[in-house]
Amino acid sequence: MQRVTSSKGFTLIELVIVIIVLGILAVIAAAKYVDLKRDAEISRVKAIAAAFEQSLIFSHTKWQLVTGNGAFNDLPDFAGGKLDMNSYGYPLGIDKNNPMGQPKNIGKGEQGCVDLWNTLQQEPASVALSNENSISDFQAYRHQADVNPDGQTQCTYVLRTLGDTKGRQQADIKIVYDSVAGTATALIRE
């Protein structure tokens, strides 16, 4: 005689094991998602820095063609003709007055860094001043150059979309504009 057994479903232990396995998979997937989002933002910051630097190169070339030496107000036929250049041929901001009172310093305070950001890029990511608590992609800081005997100023743009609330020096992901070297460098802290 053959015994017929019928299965009616999972036991309680089997269900608990399945739930635990699904929970572990969910935690792993969430961690991967966070890493992917950070990687995507890092790639975006590097692309923005490269585009910013390309605009610096274009403006420098235009400055060389127009004058080739000295600080210069309102570079014609570039960025709406309102870009002011330092004696190295790199942008300092807009509306620096003619003649420039501070031909080594970027803009008029931190607003000068925001103006450069918005002037040198097409469809730029949003940027706010360092003392504003607005929701923006980046926060701008104007500060003395970290290594510079001349007292030259720089702009640092700190990425805020990943929730970084640290100041410009401790920030994890940022872009630094150096108006002496004409560089926009993406700095990523791992």
Side-chain angles (χ1 to χ4, degrees):
M1 195 175 343
Q2 207 172 16
R3 191 170 200 196
V4 177
T5 59
S6 66
S7 178
K8 294 186 178 184
F10 295 107
T11 65
L12 184 58
I13 293 174
E14 292 171 328
L15 286 174
V16 169
I17 290 172
V18 167
I19 290 171
I20 290 172
V21 168
L22 289 174
I24 291 170
L25 290 173
V27 168
I28 291 170
K32 283 288 184 192
Y33 172 75
V34 169
D35 285 346
L36 289 175
K37 183 172 181 175
R38 178 178 164 80
D39 291 347
E41 286 295 317
I42 288 171
S43 294
R44 179 174 160 236
V45 166
K46 288 179 180 178
I48 290 170
F52 195 94
E53 188 155 351
Q54 189 64 52
S55 188
L56 296 173
I57 292 168
F58 289 156
S59 64
H60 182 73
T61 302
K62 183 65 176 178
W63 172 83
Q64 287 175 320
L65 292 171
V66 171
T67 183
N69 62 8
F72 192 83
N73 286 96
D74 303 328
L75 186 66
D77 302 322
F78 189 87
K82 58 185 177 177
L83 196 59
D84 299 328
M85 308 295 280
N86 64 18
S87 59
Y88 301 103
Y90 295 106
L92 285 177
I94 60 173
D95 300 326
K96 288 277 294 172
N97 296 329
N98 193 358
M100 282 187 232
Q102 296 286 331
K104 293 183 177 183
N105 290 329
I106 293 172
K108 295 179 179 178
E110 288 183 338
Q111 185 62 45
C113 291
V114 172
D115 292 342
L116 276 175
W117 181 265
N118 291 326
T119 301
L120 290 172
Q121 298 181 73
Q122 290 182 347
E123 300 178 25
S126 61
V127 64
L129 299 173
S130 67
N131 60 359
E132 291 180 345
N133 290 327
S134 66
I135 298 172
S136 61
D137 295 333
F138 289 86
Q139 203 161 20
Y141 295 83
R142 178 180 169 256
H143 54 91
Q144 290 299 113
D146 294 329
V147 179
N148 192 341
D150 261 356
Q152 201 80 23
T153 56
Q154 293 180 334
C155 293
T156 295
Y157 304 96
V158 176
L159 180 71
R160 296 298 187 204
T161 58
L162 294 175
D164 187 354
T165 58
K166 299 176 204 132
R168 75 166 175 87
Q169 292 179 318
Q170 295 80 25
D172 292 331
I173 303 172
K174 58 189 171 184
I175 297 170
V176 178
Y177 168 53
D178 181 341
S179 65
V180 172
T183 58
T185 307
L187 301 175
I188 315 298
R189 212 178 262 179
E190 296 300 322

PDB file of all heavy atoms in Angstrom, residues 133-149:
ATOM      1  N   ASN A 133      20.574  79.261   3.649  1.00  0.00           N
ATOM      2  CA  ASN A 133      20.115  77.910   3.949  1.00  0.00           C
ATOM      3  C   ASN A 133      19.126  77.425   2.899  1.00  0.00           C
ATOM      4  O   ASN A 133      18.227  76.665   3.199  1.00  0.00           O
ATOM      5  CB  ASN A 133      19.478  77.855   5.339  1.00  0.00           C
ATOM      6  CG  ASN A 133      20.506  78.016   6.425  1.00  0.00           C
ATOM      7  OD1 ASN A 133      21.642  77.583   6.273  1.00  0.00           O
ATOM      8  ND2 ASN A 133      20.120  78.643   7.523  1.00  0.00           N
ATOM      9  N   SER A 134      19.293  77.877   1.677  1.00  0.00           N
ATOM     10  CA  SER A 134      18.370  77.481   0.613  1.00  0.00           C
ATOM     11  C   SER A 134      18.724  76.089   0.099  1.00  0.00           C
ATOM     12  O   SER A 134      19.820  75.592   0.316  1.00  0.00           O
ATOM     13  CB  SER A 134      18.421  78.487  -0.532  1.00  0.00           C
ATOM     14  OG  SER A 134      19.693  78.444  -1.142  1.00  0.00           O
ATOM     15  N   ILE A 135      17.790  75.493  -0.563  1.00  0.00           N
ATOM     16  CA  ILE A 135      18.022  74.184  -1.164  1.00  0.00           C
ATOM     17  C   ILE A 135      18.637  74.422  -2.539  1.00  0.00           C
ATOM     18  O   ILE A 135      17.998  74.953  -3.436  1.00  0.00           O
ATOM     19  CB  ILE A 135      16.700  73.393  -1.294  1.00  0.00           C
ATOM     20  CG1 ILE A 135      16.113  73.147   0.088  1.00  0.00           C
ATOM     21  CG2 ILE A 135      16.938  72.077  -2.018  1.00  0.00           C
ATOM     22  CD1 ILE A 135      14.730  72.550   0.070  1.00  0.00           C
ATOM     23  N   SER A 136      19.900  74.071  -2.669  1.00  0.00           N
ATOM     24  CA  SER A 136      20.596  74.241  -3.937  1.00  0.00           C
ATOM     25  C   SER A 136      21.582  73.090  -4.101  1.00  0.00           C
ATOM     26  O   SER A 136      21.928  72.411  -3.137  1.00  0.00           O
ATOM     27  CB  SER A 136      21.319  75.586  -3.996  1.00  0.00           C
ATOM     28  OG  SER A 136      22.282  75.654  -2.972  1.00  0.00           O
ATOM     29  N   ASP A 137      22.042  72.895  -5.340  1.00  0.00           N
ATOM     30  CA  ASP A 137      22.986  71.811  -5.614  1.00  0.00           C
ATOM     31  C   ASP A 137      24.344  72.094  -4.995  1.00  0.00           C
ATOM     32  O   ASP A 137      25.011  71.192  -4.493  1.00  0.00           O
ATOM     33  CB  ASP A 137      23.150  71.623  -7.127  1.00  0.00           C
ATOM     34  CG  ASP A 137      21.870  71.154  -7.796  1.00  0.00           C
ATOM     35  OD1 ASP A 137      21.051  70.508  -7.128  1.00  0.00           O
ATOM     36  OD2 ASP A 137      21.695  71.432  -8.995  1.00  0.00           O
ATOM     37  N   PHE A 138      24.779  73.351  -5.054  1.00  0.00           N
ATOM     38  CA  PHE A 138      26.100  73.736  -4.562  1.00  0.00           C
ATOM     39  C   PHE A 138      25.986  74.955  -3.656  1.00  0.00           C
ATOM     40  O   PHE A 138      25.033  75.717  -3.755  1.00  0.00           O
ATOM     41  CB  PHE A 138      27.036  74.086  -5.726  1.00  0.00           C
ATOM     42  CG  PHE A 138      27.456  72.908  -6.545  1.00  0.00           C
ATOM     43  CD1 PHE A 138      26.673  72.445  -7.595  1.00  0.00           C
ATOM     44  CD2 PHE A 138      28.650  72.239  -6.273  1.00  0.00           C
ATOM     45  CE1 PHE A 138      27.062  71.355  -8.356  1.00  0.00           C
ATOM     46  CE2 PHE A 138      29.043  71.151  -7.026  1.00  0.00           C
ATOM     47  CZ  PHE A 138      28.253  70.709  -8.066  1.00  0.00           C
ATOM     48  N   GLN A 139      26.998  75.136  -2.824  1.00  0.00           N
ATOM     49  CA  GLN A 139      27.105  76.321  -1.999  1.00  0.00           C
ATOM     50  C   GLN A 139      28.457  76.964  -2.297  1.00  0.00           C
ATOM     51  O   GLN A 139      29.485  76.279  -2.325  1.00  0.00           O
ATOM     52  CB  GLN A 139      27.009  75.934  -0.528  1.00  0.00           C
ATOM     53  CG  GLN A 139      26.559  77.044   0.361  1.00  0.00           C
ATOM     54  CD  GLN A 139      26.033  76.510   1.682  1.00  0.00           C
ATOM     55  OE1 GLN A 139      26.322  75.395   2.081  1.00  0.00           O
ATOM     56  NE2 GLN A 139      25.268  77.332   2.380  1.00  0.00           N
ATOM     57  N   ALA A 140      28.459  78.269  -2.557  1.00  0.00           N
ATOM     58  CA  ALA A 140      29.672  78.974  -2.974  1.00  0.00           C
ATOM     59  C   ALA A 140      30.367  79.643  -1.790  1.00  0.00           C
ATOM     60  O   ALA A 140      29.710  80.227  -0.922  1.00  0.00           O
ATOM     61  CB  ALA A 140      29.323  80.032  -4.020  1.00  0.00           C
ATOM     62  N   TYR A 141      31.681  79.540  -1.795  1.00  0.00           N
ATOM     63  CA  TYR A 141      32.523  80.203  -0.800  1.00  0.00           C
ATOM     64  C   TYR A 141      33.610  80.980  -1.531  1.00  0.00           C
ATOM     65  O   TYR A 141      34.272  80.436  -2.401  1.00  0.00           O
ATOM     66  CB  TYR A 141      33.223  79.184   0.106  1.00  0.00           C
ATOM     67  CG  TYR A 141      32.305  78.371   0.980  1.00  0.00           C
ATOM     68  CD1 TYR A 141      31.674  77.236   0.481  1.00  0.00           C
ATOM     69  CD2 TYR A 141      32.085  78.734   2.298  1.00  0.00           C
ATOM     70  CE1 TYR A 141      30.841  76.479   1.290  1.00  0.00           C
ATOM     71  CE2 TYR A 141      31.257  77.983   3.115  1.00  0.00           C
ATOM     72  CZ  TYR A 141      30.634  76.855   2.605  1.00  0.00           C
ATOM     73  OH  TYR A 141      29.808  76.115   3.398  1.00  0.00           O
ATOM     74  N   ARG A 142      33.809  82.237  -1.172  1.00  0.00           N
ATOM     75  CA  ARG A 142      34.948  83.015  -1.667  1.00  0.00           C
ATOM     76  C   ARG A 142      35.925  83.131  -0.507  1.00  0.00           C
ATOM     77  O   ARG A 142      35.533  83.467   0.607  1.00  0.00           O
ATOM     78  CB  ARG A 142      34.503  84.399  -2.123  1.00  0.00           C
ATOM     79  CG  ARG A 142      35.657  85.270  -2.601  1.00  0.00           C
ATOM     80  CD  ARG A 142      35.103  86.639  -3.032  1.00  0.00           C
ATOM     81  NE  ARG A 142      36.150  87.590  -3.245  1.00  0.00           N
ATOM     82  CZ  ARG A 142      36.464  88.572  -2.401  1.00  0.00           C
ATOM     83  NH1 ARG A 142      35.804  88.723  -1.282  1.00  0.00           N
ATOM     84  NH2 ARG A 142      37.424  89.421  -2.683  1.00  0.00           N
ATOM     85  N   HIS A 143      37.187  82.833  -0.766  1.00  0.00           N
ATOM     86  CA  HIS A 143      38.160  82.780   0.323  1.00  0.00           C
ATOM     87  C   HIS A 143      39.562  83.048  -0.202  1.00  0.00           C
ATOM     88  O   HIS A 143      39.809  82.995  -1.402  1.00  0.00           O
ATOM     89  CB  HIS A 143      38.113  81.397   0.996  1.00  0.00           C
ATOM     90  CG  HIS A 143      38.292  80.270   0.022  1.00  0.00           C
ATOM     91  ND1 HIS A 143      39.525  79.737  -0.291  1.00  0.00           N
ATOM     92  CD2 HIS A 143      37.395  79.584  -0.732  1.00  0.00           C
ATOM     93  CE1 HIS A 143      39.372  78.774  -1.180  1.00  0.00           C
ATOM     94  NE2 HIS A 143      38.093  78.667  -1.470  1.00  0.00           N
ATOM     95  N   GLN A 144      40.460  83.326   0.707  1.00  0.00           N
ATOM     96  CA  GLN A 144      41.862  83.483   0.339  1.00  0.00           C
ATOM     97  C   GLN A 144      42.362  82.156  -0.224  1.00  0.00           C
ATOM     98  O   GLN A 144      41.976  81.088   0.255  1.00  0.00           O
ATOM     99  CB  GLN A 144      42.706  83.858   1.556  1.00  0.00           C
ATOM    100  CG  GLN A 144      42.464  85.266   2.071  1.00  0.00           C
ATOM    101  CD  GLN A 144      42.795  86.322   1.048  1.00  0.00           C
ATOM    102  OE1 GLN A 144      41.903  87.003   0.586  1.00  0.00           O
ATOM    103  NE2 GLN A 144      44.035  86.452   0.667  1.00  0.00           N
ATOM    104  N   ALA A 145      43.225  82.231  -1.206  1.00  0.00           N
ATOM    105  CA  ALA A 145      43.807  81.024  -1.776  1.00  0.00           C
ATOM    106  C   ALA A 145      44.568  80.278  -0.687  1.00  0.00           C
ATOM    107  O   ALA A 145      45.231  80.887   0.150  1.00  0.00           O
ATOM    108  CB  ALA A 145      44.734  81.383  -2.929  1.00  0.00           C
ATOM    109  N   ASP A 146      44.424  78.946  -0.680  1.00  0.00           N
ATOM    110  CA  ASP A 146      45.070  78.144   0.356  1.00  0.00           C
ATOM    111  C   ASP A 146      46.589  78.264   0.296  1.00  0.00           C
ATOM    112  O   ASP A 146      47.259  78.292   1.320  1.00  0.00           O
ATOM    113  CB  ASP A 146      44.624  76.688   0.242  1.00  0.00           C
ATOM    114  CG  ASP A 146      43.134  76.538   0.543  1.00  0.00           C
ATOM    115  OD1 ASP A 146      42.615  77.321   1.355  1.00  0.00           O
ATOM    116  OD2 ASP A 146      42.494  75.649  -0.042  1.00  0.00           O
ATOM    117  N   VAL A 147      47.145  78.329  -0.909  1.00  0.00           N
ATOM    118  CA  VAL A 147      48.589  78.489  -1.082  1.00  0.00           C
ATOM    119  C   VAL A 147      48.801  79.637  -2.057  1.00  0.00           C
ATOM    120  O   VAL A 147      48.669  79.469  -3.253  1.00  0.00           O
ATOM    121  CB  VAL A 147      49.227  77.205  -1.658  1.00  0.00           C
ATOM    122  CG1 VAL A 147      50.714  77.395  -1.841  1.00  0.00           C
ATOM    123  CG2 VAL A 147      48.925  76.014  -0.781  1.00  0.00           C
ATOM    124  N   ASN A 148      49.079  80.828  -1.500  1.00  0.00           N
ATOM    125  CA  ASN A 148      49.260  81.977  -2.379  1.00  0.00           C
ATOM    126  C   ASN A 148      49.859  83.138  -1.593  1.00  0.00           C
ATOM    127  O   ASN A 148      49.234  83.630  -0.667  1.00  0.00           O
ATOM    128  CB  ASN A 148      47.920  82.395  -2.988  1.00  0.00           C
ATOM    129  CG  ASN A 148      48.111  83.385  -4.104  1.00  0.00           C
ATOM    130  OD1 ASN A 148      49.147  84.022  -4.220  1.00  0.00           O
ATOM    131  ND2 ASN A 148      47.105  83.537  -4.909  1.00  0.00           N
ATOM    132  N   PRO A 149      51.031  83.588  -1.972  1.00  0.00           N
ATOM    133  CA  PRO A 149      51.638  84.697  -1.245  1.00  0.00           C
ATOM    134  C   PRO A 149      51.018  86.054  -1.580  1.00  0.00           C
ATOM    135  O   PRO A 149      51.222  87.010  -0.868  1.00  0.00           O
ATOM    136  CB  PRO A 149      53.101  84.650  -1.701  1.00  0.00           C
ATOM    137  CG  PRO A 149      53.048  84.029  -3.063  1.00  0.00           C
ATOM    138  CD  PRO A 149      51.892  83.065  -3.019  1.00  0.00           C
TER     139      PRO A 149
END
